[in-house]
Amino acid sequence: MEMVKAEMERTNERATNAERQVERLKHQLALATDSLNLHSEQKSVSDQAMDIFRRSSLEVELAVKEKEVSRLVEDVRRLNKLRETTLAQVTKLEAELNAKNKAFRVLEEKLRTQDNYEDVKRELRILKSKEFANAYSEDGHGDERKRSIEMLLLDKNKIMQSESAHLKIVNSFPSYVINDIS
C-alpha cells in the first residue's frame, strides 16, 4: 500500500514537472513566434529558415511533453483505481479476519465449557461399574455394559420401588401377625 502511495506521489510530481515544462515551452514558443513576427521583415532568408527550424523543434518537443503529460495523467488514474481496489480488498480481508476471530473465540469458549467432558465420562463409567456391578454378575450376558446409564437407573429405580412397596406392606401389618406367619 505504501509502495502504491509512493509511486503515485512520484507520478504526480513528474506530471507537475512536465506540465511546468510544457508551459515554459509554450511561453518560449510564443516569444519565438512574436519575435519572428516582429523581426521577419528584417531577417534574411537563412535566419528565417533557422527560426522555422527552431520553432518546429520546439513544437516537436512540446508535442512530446504533452504526450508524456497525458501518459502520466493516465498513470495517476490507474494508480488511483489500484489504490481503491487495494483498499476494498484490505477492508474485505479485515472483515473476514474479524469474522474468523469471532468464530475462533466462540469455539474457544465452547471448548472451555467442555474441557471436563473426559473427566465426567470417566467418572460416569466408574459410577456405572460400581453401582451396577451386581447387574453384570447376575445377568452374565454382558448386555448391561451396552445399556445406557439412564436405562440402568430406571431398572434400579423400579427394583427399589418394588422393595419399598414390599417394605411398606410388611410394615403395615401388626407385628403379631408377622410373628404368627413366621
Side-chain angles (χ1 to χ4, degrees):
M1 188 68 177
E2 293 298 323
M3 290 184 353
V4 171
K5 284 183 181 178
E7 181 65 26
M8 197 163 123
E9 288 175 8
R10 285 193 298 267
T11 304
N12 282 336
E13 189 175 305
R14 287 195 329 237
T16 304
N17 289 339
E19 286 175 353
R20 279 193 224 128
Q21 194 170 7
V22 165
E23 289 300 320
R24 186 177 48 80
L25 290 173
K26 281 183 180 179
H27 181 67
Q28 286 178 357
L29 182 60
L31 289 176
T33 304
D34 289 345
S35 170
L36 189 77
N37 288 338
L38 291 175
H39 301 292
S40 64
E41 295 107 21
Q42 299 172 354
K43 291 187 180 179
S44 68
V45 173
S46 65
D47 287 340
Q48 286 179 353
M50 191 58 107
D51 285 340
I52 290 171
F53 177 72
R54 277 189 227 134
R55 187 173 30 167
S56 79
S57 159
L58 287 174
E59 287 173 349
V60 167
E61 192 176 341
L62 178 63
V64 167
K65 292 299 178 180
E66 285 177 344
K67 282 183 179 180
E68 185 178 349
V69 166
S70 51
R71 185 184 57 79
L72 290 172
V73 166
E74 185 59 36
D75 285 350
V76 167
R77 283 188 193 130
R78 184 181 50 79
L79 288 172
N80 280 335
K81 189 174 183 178
L82 178 65
R83 181 180 61 168
E84 290 172 6
T85 305
T86 304
L87 286 174
Q89 287 176 340
V90 166
T91 303
K92 180 183 174 189
L93 289 173
E94 285 175 346
E96 286 179 16
L97 179 63
N98 287 336
K100 301 265 185 198
N101 282 339
K102 185 177 180 182
F104 177 74
R105 284 190 297 274
V106 166
L107 290 173
E108 197 173 49
E109 184 60 31
K110 190 175 183 180
L111 182 63
R112 204 172 299 127
T113 60
Q114 295 178 351
D115 65 348
N116 65 346
Y117 173 76
E118 287 298 322
D119 292 337
V120 169
K121 188 177 171 183
R122 183 178 43 78
E123 289 172 8
L124 186 59
R125 219 177 303 122
I126 291 170
L127 176 68
K128 193 175 177 181
S129 68
K130 282 183 180 179
E131 285 294 319
F132 303 105
N134 59 353
Y136 296 135
S137 61
E138 290 172 6
D139 191 3
H141 297 304
D143 287 340
E144 298 299 326
R145 292 181 192 257
K146 296 178 184 173
R147 295 177 62 193
S148 69
I149 189 78
E150 292 86 6
M151 294 304 295
L152 292 171
L153 286 171
L154 283 173
D155 289 346
K156 187 171 184 173
N157 192 20
K158 286 178 188 176
I159 292 170
M160 290 178 79
Q161 283 178 350
S162 172
E163 287 176 3
S164 175
H166 178 70
L167 287 175
K168 282 183 184 178
I169 292 171
V170 169
N171 286 337
S172 67
F173 285 113
S175 61
Y176 62 86
V177 174
I178 297 175
N179 287 337
D180 287 342
I181 296 176
S182 317

